[in-house]
Amino acid sequence: MHPDPPVSASTSPIPQKLSFSTKLAYGAGDLGPAITANILAFFLLIFFTNVAGLSPGIAGSILMISKIWDAMNDPIIGILSDRTRSRWGRRYPWMIFGAIPFGIFFFLQWVVPPFDQQGLFWYYVVIAIIFNSFYTIVNLPYTALTPELTQDYNERTSLNSFRFAFSIGGSIFSLVLALVIFSVIKNNPQAQYLVLGGVCAVLSILPLYWCVGGTWKQTMTGQHFLDVEARSEESLPFAAQLRIAFSNRPFLYVIGIYLCSWLAVQATAAIIPYFVVDWMRLPESNFTLVALAVQGTALVMLFFWSAVSKRAGKKAVYFMGMSLWIMAQAGLFFLQPGQVVLMYVLAVMAGVGVSTAYLVPWSMLPDVIELDELQTGQRREGIFYAFMVLLQKVGLALGLFVIGLALQWAGFLETTPGQSPPIQPDSALLAIRVAIGPIPTLVLIAGLILTYFYPITREVHAEILLKLQERRSSTFAADPDISQK
């Protein structure tokens, strides 16, 4: 699933301006997925070990299986969504009928049934597979609404800015909500997570129906746009798509940069609860505050880096942000219990860099697509975006699995349900510190090296755009009626 190539106002059949309420409703569609994804990233691993009583190896295996399935089901749902024909269009039936199961199976991930380790493993694997299926069922058709709402290039940019605001806002809101629930419900971790899961489930379902109700009329009015995706790109065999993607050298750099950035983000999110509770010896609520410090700073810095990027370029912004992030991540290894203020300073420094992980890799991808268009004469966004997401999910799955396995090898002691968390041995504490410090630091340095060698500079990109413009001008000059085809 992918948006079609940008269509200029001169070639768009009916340039449209969307109302503020339509854009607001569209943005709300990403609120539920953002809330659930953020809660799972920060809390699920520690829930498995400290509440459900699973060993870190089993917990990591569950996360790996769920992420790999999440990557595999994207093309399946994408094809089915494309082929759907109904009076509600192609996308809305999936969102309408998938929203409630999406919320229900999110909630069921926070239930602890009275099973042994093997029984719990299979329970959480099955629930995770079903939840991730419904996550894709509601989220993928939602993202495909953009070209069906409007063909206007600037309106699409505006739509995605609303979506991005709801996405980051939902992530921050979910952490605040967790902080409130954990402070109200004390000394009962299972009840804390049940309430958090239930409230987030309801809050994730409702905005999806707001999105459907607020955008349906606009989409139905624009039924003549429904063939956009079919016109934009031929259906190619998977092997052919693979050859296209991996023959583009700058794309390989972008994938590497993106994986390094987000592997560091996700690994830190998974391990930070153990670091705060077991190493820093602070109450669990503190790791929520640390996460808020990181994400709040990242949200604010997005606007700053966006402005700086216009002057200094993407590579320069990435180097500036990563430099602070690397210092913060490395500093966490040397942090000692009692240095709470320094911990929050490092969290803010990390947030400055995390914002560039949001901003830079995805802004590099259109440059890669334009280079491919210059070389081949075709625009193939779908192939590049699909492999970007696929490799991201597989990479994160393997990373989370390795973290869980490393904790288990280091002798991490899981919590027996109903009892207080045990005192961790020195080997487990060292593993936690290595997982939050040196490992993400080395990954981020690898990302910096890839960025240094990334070949599309501002000057190269300007030359690509100039050549594309010359080609398009000559094409229109040779065939004045092409815009009508």
Side-chain angles (χ1 to χ4, degrees):
M1 297 304 309
H2 52 86
D4 56 310
V7 181
S8 67
S10 62
T11 61
S12 180
I14 304 178
Q16 305 173 59
K17 296 296 180 185
L18 301 177
S19 67
F20 176 78
S21 62
T22 298
K23 294 178 182 179
L24 201 65
Y26 175 79
D30 211 33
L31 184 61
I35 289 173
T36 56
N38 196 63
I39 290 294
L40 292 172
F42 279 102
F43 295 99
L44 192 58
L45 184 59
I46 195 169
F47 168 79
F48 281 156
T49 59
N50 287 16
V51 180
L54 292 171
S55 70
I58 290 178
S61 299
I62 296 169
L63 294 178
M64 180 182 69
I65 293 169
S66 66
K67 283 287 184 184
I68 290 176
W69 170 248
D70 191 26
M72 291 172 58
N73 66 37
D74 281 349
I76 299 172
I77 302 302
I79 292 170
L80 293 175
S81 173
D82 275 347
R83 295 177 179 176
T84 298
R85 296 294 181 268
S86 77
R87 59 176 177 165
W88 299 300
R90 293 188 290 177
R91 317 302 177 190
Y92 292 122
W94 296 87
M95 298 172 67
I96 291 169
F97 295 109
I100 292 177
F102 164 69
I104 289 173
F105 282 96
F106 174 76
F107 171 74
L108 289 177
Q109 290 178 106
W110 308 101
V111 173
V112 183
F115 302 151
D116 59 13
Q117 290 267 315
Q118 186 176 7
L120 287 172
F121 170 79
W122 287 111
Y123 171 80
Y124 289 119
V125 163
V126 171
I127 294 298
I129 287 174
I130 298 174
F131 166 74
N132 280 291
S133 299
F134 280 106
Y135 182 98
T136 304
I137 281 171
V138 297
N139 191 242
L140 195 147
Y142 159 74
T143 60
L145 282 176
T146 307
E148 300 187 3
L149 282 167
T150 178
Q151 281 191 302
D152 185 85
Y153 179 72
N154 292 325
E155 285 298 279
R156 287 181 180 176
T157 302
S158 179
L159 271 180
N160 281 306
S161 70
F162 275 76
R163 177 190 172 191
F164 199 44
F166 271 95
S167 179
I168 298 179
S171 298
I172 294 174
F173 172 75
S174 67
L175 292 172
V176 174
L177 183 64
L179 190 64
V180 171
I181 290 173
F182 291 173
S183 65
V184 171
I185 303 174
K186 300 182 183 296
N187 303 319
N188 191 342
Q190 189 168 339
Q192 290 174 337
Y193 284 104
L194 272 177
V195 173
L196 179 64
V199 173
C200 287
V202 174
L203 293 178
S204 298
I205 293 170
L206 296 178
L208 288 166
Y209 288 111
W210 175 13
C211 176
V212 171
T215 61
W216 181 83
K217 183 177 179 181
Q218 177 66 37
T219 305
M220 293 301 104
T221 302
Q223 279 289 323
H224 52 288
F225 292 146
L226 290 179
D227 65 340
V228 167
E229 290 170 321
R231 295 199 313 266
S232 67
E233 186 176 294
E234 295 180 6
S235 179
L236 295 174
F238 182 81
Q241 295 185 35
L242 196 65
R243 285 194 300 272
I244 290 168
F246 287 92
S247 63
N248 188 312
R249 190 167 64 92
F251 178 61
L252 300 181
Y253 281 104
V254 173
I255 287 175
I257 295 165
Y258 185 58
L259 282 180
C260 288
S261 302
W262 281 100
L263 191 55
V265 170
Q266 293 290 329
T268 304
I271 206 71
I272 193 71
Y274 301 103
F275 180 79
V276 171
V277 173
D278 294 312
W279 174 249
M280 296 298 291
R281 300 168 193 164
L282 296 170
E284 282 193 14
S285 59
N286 283 74
F287 80 75
T288 309
L289 290 173
V290 172
L292 275 171
V294 173
Q295 293 208 347
T297 304
L299 177 60
V300 173
M301 289 303 297
L302 276 171
F303 302 99
F304 172 77
W305 289 130
S306 181
V308 173
S309 178
K310 294 176 183 177
R311 292 181 173 271
K314 299 167 189 175
K315 290 176 68 169
V317 162
Y318 195 77
F319 268 90
M320 288 185 280
M322 286 298 117
S323 298
L324 275 177
W325 188 2
I326 287 170
M327 287 189 287
Q329 206 79 45
L332 288 172
F333 178 78
F334 300 101
L335 201 65
Q336 297 298 311
Q339 296 178 317
V340 179
V341 174
L342 182 56
M343 179 180 69
Y344 284 104
V345 171
L346 294 176
V348 170
M349 288 174 61
V352 173
V354 168
S355 61
T356 63
Y358 280 103
L359 187 65
V360 174
W362 284 108
S363 68
M364 287 177 168
L365 191 55
D367 303 344
V368 170
I369 292 167
E370 284 159 348
L371 175 62
D372 180 66
E373 181 185 2
L374 180 63
Q375 293 172 338
T376 66
Q378 301 179 57
R379 285 192 69 90
R380 302 184 286 205
E381 291 99 327
I383 292 172
F384 291 103
Y385 277 96
F387 277 103
M388 186 91 154
V389 173
L390 175 67
L391 293 172
Q392 172 216 3
K393 290 179 178 179
V394 172
L396 293 180
L398 294 174
L400 292 173
F401 172 70
V402 169
I403 288 174
L405 210 57
L407 287 178
Q408 184 161 322
W409 284 344
F412 183 90
L413 302 175
E414 61 269 17
T415 301
T416 302
Q419 298 184 13
S420 300
I423 302 298
Q424 298 298 334
D426 290 341
S427 57
L429 293 176
L430 179 60
I432 290 169
R433 294 170 64 209
V434 169
I436 204 171
I439 291 178
T441 300
L442 291 173
V443 169
L444 291 174
I445 291 172
L448 272 186
I449 294 171
L450 291 171
T451 305
Y452 178 79
F453 288 104
Y454 176 66
I456 303 181
T457 61
R458 296 178 70 186
E459 293 74 21
V460 170
H461 183 240
E463 186 178 350
I464 292 171
L465 291 180
L466 180 61
K467 289 180 178 178
L468 284 174
Q469 183 61 39
E470 290 173 350
R471 177 190 291 173
R472 290 165 185 161
S473 298
S474 62
T475 302
F476 275 89
D479 187 355
D481 296 325
I482 195 170
S483 63
Q484 303 302 321
K485 295 181 180 179

